[in-house]
Amino acid sequence: TWIGGDRDGNPFVSFEVTENALRAQKNLALEHYENELNRIYRFLSPTVTRASFGDSFLKSVEADRKYLRVDEQELFNRFENEPDRQKLMVMFRRICAAKLENQVNWDWTGEKVESRAYRSDAEFAADLKAMQQSLLENRGERLLQDINRLIRKVDVFGFHLASMDFRQHSRRHVDAVDELFRLGKVTAEYAELEEAKKIPLLEGQINSTEFLSLKDASEETTESAELFHLIKTAHEKVSMEVIESYIISMTTGVSHVLEVLLLAKEVGLTGAINIVPLFETIEDLTNAPQIMSELFENETYLAHLAKRGRQQQIMIGYSDSNKDGGFLRANWMLFTAQQALAEVCDKYDMKLTLFHGRGGSLGRGGGPTNRAILAQPPGSVRGRIRITEQGEVVSSRYANQAIACRHLEQLVSAVIVTAGREEPVPVAPEWIDAMEELSQLAYDKYRSMVERPEFLDYFHAATPIDQIEILNIGSRPSRRKATESIGDLRAIPWVFAWNQTRVNLPSWYGVGTALHEWVGDDSGRMRLLGEMYKAWPFFRSVFDNVQLGLGKADISIAELYSELPPEEVGVPVFADLKDEHDTTMTFVLKLAKQKELLQKEPWLQRSIRVRNPYIDPLNFLQVALIKRLRDATEEGDGAGNEAEIEQLIEAVRISVNGIAAGVKNVG
């Protein structure tokens, strides 16, 4: 889970929020175990007069007396002929004590630390296994079903319920280390130093037996550093599994990883957590293999990895890479980066786990996940994979048990098939050359659009981005900084806005021009693309997703929104969008040898056709409401029409929710 742990650009995820989230998770797990013990207690009633019990189990029951208060001894003695119930009685009270202790602030110290509360899930599991063994040894197999299930739950959920990933932007660590180095008189200009000069300073402090002081540090630096104290406390109060990974957004160099290692070392966490670089932009994905090579050659970082069993987790971002470089370039750079990272990890004998930061929409890496896994580069999966599942996807994939089981089976199947291939799918050199050229052409076209002088005006005027940004639906603010720049806009509202207008730009823009310019009149090149589509899972997956993005788009509805900006902005930008849409559709259909979009997936084609007539009126209403809202805002200028403006804002919000529900994608 990232709930309470994802701090990247989110001022609302405070130290207290994170601690409360961790405690809430533990409390939920303990509450469940409490209810399970109470339920098992009601039916597990073998007596010493009718059944046998293991000697070690009976000794453990007698030893449990020390956990009972004086007023509880009488009840315990009342069940002296039912040892299972005596055991469960004590276990129940120890779980209740752990739950009560968890409700107290984790910094609290005193007598309660020595209470009867379970100190760990391992202690609780040991008691359950003692009961399990006693029943197995004494013909109690038929009574084991619920005990076995509870042991399995403890094995999966422990006392932590779910492992929480922490994530923070690399800039926060730079600022924190810069201030700590200045206060500690290490250097007064760390943040301005070149990368090559930062690394020795970081290595020296990590390997030093002295510690940096937080005295006189700013509130922001103190929180960045004390977050690692919280990780340490959580490990002690809950378990090591409660926080296993610390993710660094916008990792652009070795120093960004060593900065986190330094902050971890300051509280004794070296080797206790995975430090996970997140490579997001096109440039970062290109540089990722070189950065990891330098890290694997760094003795200080190697010492940390040795304590982690030489396991390295690397996260790759599908969202910012798409927003930065467009659909085709992002997908190709992700593919090549994964392949290169796998080779680097092989070279240095590191156990790689790739963490895919996929979203629900096609523009953020969405689409059929099992196909995406099967299309991964050779050697990049190896039986281990992590994938993000966002709110809207969690609901659609896991709310129904049958669908959840099917989805998980598809994931597991794809990972097993990929890992079990004796020979990877051969990728011909000419395929790689073609994909490199195509992705570059698509990138150039995409950047020519988003860098147009009038594009930013079009985006803000022709989409409901202003209303999306104030919707109470995201886990983080929609922008990293308070600017109108697309660079600072997060990928979710970027994709969400284009989905609302039915353009779906992030899932196809630039592809048509790339195909048109690369193929030209060369029939041989078109045949080569056909071979790639037929034999290369990656290529087929990418272009099937382009087809899906086009299938969900509706350029005639999008034209309505182009009337919202001034004519000198709306007309040329929309003309470009429509031309690219038509070109892309022509070439994608030709490549797939189809007469219409989604022809090979008639169920999906029909689903879109059935639902669109119900969504279209909402788009007409939304455009009209946005016009009225802007007119009211311009005319009002503080003249007492606040109530009308608030009504219109609420109406636009409702239309946003309705369209999102209809197209089944947010961002």
Side-chain angles (χ1 to χ4, degrees):
T1 178
W2 284 21
I3 298 171
D6 185 8
R7 320 173 81 75
D8 177 13
N10 192 344
F12 305 114
V13 182
S14 64
F15 188 93
E16 291 73 23
V17 164
T18 302
E19 181 180 323
N20 288 338
L22 290 166
R23 287 164 61 190
Q25 287 182 195
K26 181 176 180 179
N27 193 69
L28 189 60
L30 293 173
E31 196 171 80
H32 182 75
Y33 300 149
E34 185 182 66
N35 293 333
E36 286 291 282
L37 290 172
N38 194 41
R39 187 175 62 80
I40 295 170
Y41 172 86
R42 290 201 298 270
F43 78 81
L44 196 60
S45 57
T47 65
V48 294
T49 59
R50 297 198 174 192
S52 300
F53 296 85
D55 290 339
S56 60
F57 175 70
L58 292 173
K59 286 177 183 177
S60 75
V61 172
E62 188 59 31
D64 283 346
R65 282 185 180 275
K66 65 178 179 288
Y67 296 117
L68 297 173
R69 296 196 300 261
V70 174
D71 60 329
E72 296 169 336
Q73 295 286 347
E74 182 183 351
L75 181 62
F76 186 78
N77 292 334
R78 191 186 305 170
F79 292 96
E80 62 180 351
N81 289 330
E82 299 175 57
D84 287 322
R85 279 188 165 170
Q86 286 182 313
K87 188 73 174 178
L88 288 163
M89 185 189 305
V90 176
M91 291 171 69
F92 181 86
R93 280 156 177 74
R94 295 189 69 190
I95 285 288
C96 289
K99 187 177 163 188
L100 183 64
E101 188 174 277
N102 184 56
Q103 292 166 0
V104 181
N105 190 290
W106 281 354
D107 289 335
W108 189 93
T109 57
E111 187 179 335
K112 193 172 283 290
V113 174
E114 301 302 324
S115 74
R116 60 183 173 179
Y118 280 113
R119 300 262 64 82
S120 68
D121 53 63
E123 280 188 19
F124 180 46
D127 277 347
L128 288 169
K129 288 173 182 175
M131 291 184 68
Q132 180 191 53
Q133 188 62 31
S134 178
L135 288 166
L136 280 171
E137 290 173 353
N138 295 283
R139 300 167 62 189
E141 290 88 348
R142 293 184 65 185
L143 300 173
L144 273 173
Q145 182 175 335
D146 289 283
I147 297 290
N148 289 343
R149 185 180 290 120
L150 184 51
I151 289 172
R152 181 63 176 148
K153 287 178 180 178
V154 177
D155 181 45
V156 173
F157 301 109
F159 282 180
H160 63 286
L161 188 69
S163 181
M164 181 187 288
D165 286 351
F166 276 25
R167 181 168 77 145
Q168 182 57 280
H169 197 283
S170 58
R171 188 70 223 180
R172 282 293 296 266
H173 308 131
V174 174
D175 293 343
V177 171
D178 180 61
E179 184 174 1
L180 290 173
F181 275 1
R182 190 165 60 252
L183 293 171
K185 303 192 183 324
V186 177
T187 177
E189 50 180 9
Y190 173 79
E192 286 72 42
L193 292 175
E194 298 174 1
E195 178 78 355
K197 293 181 179 178
K198 286 180 178 179
I199 293 171
L201 288 173
L202 291 165
E203 288 176 321
Q205 191 60 45
I206 293 168
N207 295 320
S208 171
T209 55
E210 297 183 3
F211 296 90
L212 297 166
S213 173
L214 286 174
K215 185 181 178 183
D216 300 325
S218 65
E219 184 179 339
E220 190 173 84
T221 294
T222 300
E223 185 183 27
S224 294
E226 288 193 342
L227 189 61
F228 291 86
H229 281 284
L230 178 58
I231 297 173
K232 179 87 170 175
T233 303
H235 283 180
E236 294 168 352
K237 298 285 184 180
V238 187
S239 71
M240 295 293 287
E241 290 78 22
V242 67
I243 302 163
E244 295 181 306
S245 297
Y246 191 104
I247 299 159
I248 310 164
S249 292
M250 293 295 174
T251 301
T252 61
V254 170
S255 63
H256 286 160
V257 176
L258 294 182
E259 284 156 5
V260 173
L261 182 58
L262 169 60
L263 294 172
K265 168 260 179 181
E266 291 293 302
V267 298
L269 280 177
T270 304
I273 53 173
N274 298 313
I275 299 177
V276 185
L278 168 51
F279 301 107
E280 301 178 76
T281 66
I282 297 296
E283 183 180 2
D284 294 343
L285 287 166
T286 303
N287 296 335
Q290 179 61 34
I291 292 170
M292 295 312 302
S293 292
E294 292 175 18
L295 274 169
F296 294 152
E297 291 177 359
N298 185 287
E299 293 297 329
T300 300
Y301 188 65
L302 275 176
H304 160 76
L305 283 180
K307 295 179 180 179
R308 301 299 298 169
R310 297 181 72 85
Q311 297 186 69
Q312 178 64 59
Q313 193 179 128
I314 301 172
M315 188 171 183
I316 51 175
Y318 286 69
S319 308
D320 284 286
S321 57
N322 187 310
K323 185 163 68 72
D324 181 42
F327 184 81
L328 197 59
R329 187 64 174 171
N331 274 274
W332 179 237
M333 296 313 297
L334 285 159
F335 183 91
T336 55
Q338 290 175 69
Q339 193 162 41
L341 287 168
E343 290 169 359
V344 167
C345 287
D346 278 347
K347 178 182 176 182
Y348 292 96
D349 191 28
M350 297 294 170
K351 191 174 182 180
L352 170 67
T353 298
L354 281 169
F355 186 3
H356 299 259
R358 307 176 74 95
S361 301
L362 291 169
R364 300 189 59 240
T369 311
N370 62 318
R371 294 185 196 173
I373 293 171
L374 291 169
Q376 296 305 303
S380 66
V381 177
R382 303 177 190 181
R384 299 183 302 278
I385 196 166
R386 290 191 86 199
I387 301 171
T388 51
E389 296 278 42
Q390 298 187 316
E392 59 174 333
V393 179
V394 170
S395 176
S396 64
R397 288 178 177 168
Y398 301 101
N400 179 283
Q401 186 174 351
I403 293 173
C405 288
R406 184 187 69 182
H407 177 66
L408 289 170
E409 285 172 354
Q410 289 174 337
L411 291 185
V412 173
S413 170
V415 172
I416 291 172
V417 168
T418 304
R421 284 177 180 150
E422 291 184 7
E423 292 292 333
V425 176
V427 181
E430 57 267 28
W431 296 0
I432 294 172
D433 293 341
M435 196 62 208
E436 180 60 39
E437 292 174 26
L438 284 166
S439 69
Q440 184 62 51
L441 289 168
Y443 174 81
D444 293 341
K445 175 62 178 175
Y446 177 81
R447 294 307 305 178
S448 73
M449 168 59 92
V450 298
E451 290 172 1
R452 289 178 71 139
E454 68 270 34
F455 180 77
L456 192 60
D457 292 335
Y458 183 91
F459 177 68
H460 280 278
T463 73
I465 183 63
D466 295 339
Q467 279 64 49
I468 288 170
E469 288 190 290
I470 58 176
L471 279 173
N472 188 26
I473 60 170
S475 61
R476 297 170 289 163
S478 61
R479 294 181 183 272
R480 286 189 167 98
K481 298 178 185 176
T483 71
E484 290 194 348
S485 165
I486 290 171
D488 292 324
L489 181 71
R490 291 192 185 276
I492 291 176
W494 164 257
V495 174
F496 195 174
W498 291 115
N499 284 350
Q500 286 282 303
T501 62
R502 310 282 286 282
V503 178
N504 286 357
L505 176 145
S507 63
W508 54 264
Y509 191 86
V511 176
T513 292
L515 291 168
H516 175 70
E517 293 185 4
W518 191 79
V519 172
D521 297 324
D522 191 335
S523 59
R525 285 194 164 189
M526 197 65 213
R527 280 196 303 273
L528 178 63
L529 291 179
E531 292 172 12
M532 293 163 65
Y533 183 80
K534 183 178 180 181
W536 192 8
F538 163 75
F539 190 83
R540 184 167 59 253
S541 173
V542 167
F543 278 88
D544 282 350
N545 282 340
V546 171
Q547 187 177 167
L548 180 56
L550 290 168
K552 288 185 173 183
D554 190 322
I555 205 69
S556 60
I557 293 292
E559 189 171 8
L560 294 171
Y561 289 84
S562 71
E563 298 169 3
L564 289 170
E567 188 174 337
E568 64 273 16
V569 172
V571 170
V573 174
F574 180 74
D576 190 322
L577 285 173
K578 187 176 187 308
D579 182 59
E580 184 65 16
H581 173 273
D582 294 346
T583 303
T584 305
M585 183 155 59
T586 299
F587 272 90
V588 166
L589 289 176
K590 190 176 180 181
L591 181 62
K593 297 181 179 179
Q594 296 173 197
K595 293 183 178 180
E596 54 185 15
L597 293 170
L598 304 174
Q599 184 178 315
K600 295 175 183 176
E601 297 190 76
W603 63 271
L604 183 56
Q605 186 186 64
R606 183 177 182 277
S607 174
I608 293 171
R609 284 177 177 170
V610 167
R611 77 189 186 211
N612 276 357
Y614 297 91
I615 308 170
D616 295 348
L618 290 174
N619 287 110
F620 279 89
L621 285 168
Q622 188 178 84
V623 170
L625 287 166
I626 291 173
K627 282 181 181 177
R628 288 178 59 185
L629 174 59
R630 290 173 182 170
D631 289 344
T633 304
E634 290 170 6
E635 291 170 7
D637 198 25
N641 65 338
E642 292 87 355
E644 180 189 359
I645 290 173
E646 189 55 43
Q647 266 191 329
L648 287 167
I649 289 173
E650 182 60 24
V652 174
R653 286 178 185 170
I654 292 170
S655 73
V656 167
N657 287 336
I659 293 168
V663 299
K664 297 187 179 297
N665 273 125
V666 180

